Amino acid sequence: MAALLVAALGTGCGAGGSETPDKAAKAKAAGAAGEQAGAAGALGTYAEKLKALQQARIVAAKKWGLLKPPLVAPQAPKEKPEITTRDGFEVEGQDELPPVFTTVPTEEKVVFLTIDDGAEKDPEFLKMMQELKLPYTAFLSDYLVRDNYPYFKEMQAAGVTLNNHTLNHRYMPALSYEKQRQEICGQQDTIEKTFGKRPTLFRPPYGNYNEDTLRAAKSCGIKAVPLWNEEAFPNRMDWREWDKDLHPGDIILTHFRGKEDWKGSMTDMIRHVMKTVTDKGYAVARLEDYL
Ligand SMILES: [Zn+2]
């Protein structure tokens, strides 16, 4: 990081044309000193930013009833990790289909929060996530979202990426290729029209898919199909692996659900999942930074 900053600053610190060798040497020395001071200043800014984030999280954690403030994630990787298909279909040309995975390859102690469907539109949840400055990614199904687009526009304005979870949340393997295409491309078009941005990520309802699903998704412009390794509820975690633990790069699924479906609110769910994540020494990172 420091090296990067110095390099970036170095280009902006050119000394002007000098009349004599002596003056040139002085100017060069001044330039070098300026670079050092500049680099220290910039590093200070980064440290300050980090400190401000930690401070904001301490305040927000108290306000929202989290026992510990969320840990700060390391900076986004300079190079995105190579995603390999999870269990893979034995099909020709499989490499060209969007990869399906439950964990992002990384050594960092980070996990990713993904929130599906869109039934519950809890304003407290938006406020909580903004104040805690926690990144997450939404996978929306239009039939649940269309009665309140402004809620999701507010979410998007806060920096959340809105992704594809089909128009009507059907069980994909039961549908023909054409029907699947309508469900996926239809939602691509709806999100693009409503929110101004075409998604690149798709999650099939229930995590169920077949080869047609991936072919259809690809034809609609989908680049990757993230599933999940844990599911978060207001009072528990469901683990997909035998060790019942988080792993670096795990994707956590949860839902836009409220007290009608759950024994708690969305803010209860965040309190619970963040206790698990923080107690285990993990930070929540932004999925888009890694894909
Ligand atoms: Zn769903």
Side-chain angles (χ1 to χ4, degrees):
M1 183 60 209
L4 248 189
L5 276 170
V6 171
L9 283 158
T11 59
C13 289
S18 305
E19 289 152 25
T20 65
D22 190 40
K23 268 191 183 170
K26 275 184 186 164
K28 203 174 166 191
E35 275 177 33
Q36 277 175 13
L43 283 175
T45 307
Y46 175 65
E48 275 163 29
K49 252 168 107 178
L50 211 69
K51 208 176 163 199
L53 175 58
Q54 282 165 332
Q55 278 301 325
R57 283 184 167 176
I58 289 168
V59 173
K62 265 192 198 140
K63 175 177 167 184
W64 292 99
L66 277 71
L67 294 177
K68 295 176 191 165
L71 297 172
V72 176
Q75 289 203 295
K78 285 186 208 95
E79 272 179 46
K80 309 226 173 186
E82 194 188 334
I83 309 281
T84 47
T85 303
R86 183 178 59 119
D87 41 15
F89 275 93
E90 300 288 326
V91 295
E92 232 173 283
Q94 178 190 309
D95 291 350
E96 288 138 42
L97 293 175
V100 183
F101 49 96
T102 58
T103 299
V104 175
T106 176
E107 308 273 296
E108 306 279 5
K109 283 193 89 176
V110 294
V111 291
F112 306 98
L113 268 182
T114 60
I115 311 188
D116 282 14
D117 300 350
E120 179 79 0
K121 290 102 180 162
D122 181 353
E124 289 291 288
F125 165 76
L126 286 188
K127 220 189 284 173
M128 179 191 208
M129 297 303 267
Q130 274 192 51
E131 291 181 12
L132 285 168
K133 301 184 189 305
L134 279 175
Y136 60 100
T137 301
F139 289 86
L140 303 181
S141 215
D142 191 59
Y143 87 105
L144 293 167
V145 165
R146 65 170 74 108
D147 67 350
N148 192 351
Y149 286 140
Y151 180 81
F152 297 94
K153 281 185 177 158
E154 196 182 332
M155 186 179 295
Q156 185 187 35
V160 175
T161 305
L162 308 178
N163 282 302
N164 189 329
H165 196 45
T166 72
L167 283 175
N168 296 297
H169 209 277
R170 308 274 301 278
Y171 175 74
M172 290 286 114
L175 304 182
S176 68
Y177 172 80
E178 263 317 311
K179 261 278 170 220
Q180 293 198 43
R181 237 189 133 252
Q182 283 169 26
E183 279 290 319
I184 303 168
C185 292
Q187 180 65 339
Q188 290 287 91
D189 296 343
T190 302
I191 289 182
E192 187 173 8
K193 198 176 73 200
T194 314
F195 302 101
K197 222 175 154 200
R198 198 167 178 85
T200 56
L201 304 182
F202 164 68
R203 174 174 283 162
Y206 320 103
N208 288 120
Y209 61 98
N210 59 16
E211 190 194 320
D212 279 347
T213 317
L214 302 182
R215 289 197 191 289
K218 188 188 175 185
S219 78
C220 311
I222 292 298
K223 302 280 180 246
V225 180
L227 299 183
W228 61 93
N229 218 19
E230 290 87 21
E231 183 172 353
F233 296 85
N235 55 347
R236 67 171 207 279
M237 291 282 276
D238 272 3
W239 307 93
R240 212 158 174 157
E241 291 191 38
W242 62 272
D243 61 2
K244 293 183 186 289
D245 203 357
L246 296 175
H247 317 87
D250 271 1
I251 300 168
I252 300 174
L253 159 72
T254 188
H255 291 89
F256 292 101
R257 281 182 194 154
K259 287 185 172 155
E260 287 152 38
D261 307 292
W262 268 348
K263 290 187 178 102
S265 62
M266 290 196 73
T267 55
D268 292 331
M269 178 276 293
I270 291 296
R271 269 186 285 279
H272 193 268
V273 69
M274 286 316 299
K275 179 170 173 20
T276 307
V277 168
T278 309
D279 282 353
K280 289 177 180 291
Y282 282 80
V284 177
R286 187 178 300 279
L287 185 60
E288 289 76 20
D289 287 346
Y290 284 75
L291 298 183

